[in-house]
Amino acid sequence: MGLDMDFYKVNVNGEKEHLRYFRKHSDLNGILQECWVEKNLDKDPNEFNCSEFEVTLDEVERIKNFMETSRNSNKHYVGFFWGQSTEEDWEETEILLEEIVETINNGQKVVYVPWW
């Protein structure tokens, strides 16, 4: 049990291609859940689990901001079975952000699917 995190490229035909997987990167999930809640005020925050969330350039900027300002602070996201983010997770996140920007600039979407 725990937090499984998948990112997918979605082309114009709606076909998905797996982009990246994380296991228990709680801070990244927490940031994206915050973004999802802000865009879905009419929904229960628990509905984020197992949902598809489109990651836009706005989310990329939020993640970068967290990495620059809060990553090494006492501010961390937690959840039952979420685990804890590691330095290796953040190194992989930097690569993911580059992939997201490239994917969006190529006219595709990126979706995130958490499962815990």
Side-chain angles (χ1 to χ4, degrees), residues 36-52:
W36 182 89
V37 167
E38 290 170 9
K39 293 180 177 184
N40 293 279
L41 295 173
D42 60 327
K43 295 186 179 180
D44 180 323
N46 291 319
E47 290 181 52
F48 181 62
N49 185 26
C50 296
S51 67
E52 286 191 2

Side-chain angles (χ1 to χ4, degrees), residues 8-80:
Y8 297 92
K9 292 180 185 182
V10 182
N11 68 21
V12 293
N13 297 322
E15 299 164 328
K16 292 181 190 168
E17 177 186 337
H18 196 257
L19 183 62
R20 192 158 294 274
Y21 169 82
F22 288 95
R23 173 96 174 128
K24 295 188 177 188
H25 188 354
S26 59
D27 288 333
L28 180 57
N29 183 73
I31 296 163
L32 293 172
Q33 184 173 22
E34 249 182 31
C35 295
W36 182 89
V37 167
E38 290 170 9
K39 293 180 177 184
N40 293 279
L41 295 173
D42 60 327
K43 295 186 179 180
D44 180 323
N46 291 319
E47 290 181 52
F48 181 62
N49 185 26
C50 296
S51 67
E52 286 191 2
F53 177 59
E54 182 177 350
V55 180
T56 67
L57 295 177
D58 289 337
E59 282 77 37
V60 169
E61 288 305 312
R62 290 270 294 266
I63 296 164
K64 285 182 179 179
N65 183 53
F66 182 90
M67 289 173 68
E68 293 170 6
T69 62
S70 302
R71 170 177 164 187
N72 296 317
S73 72
N74 288 330
K75 179 181 179 181
H76 296 282
Y77 293 89
V78 296
F80 196 62

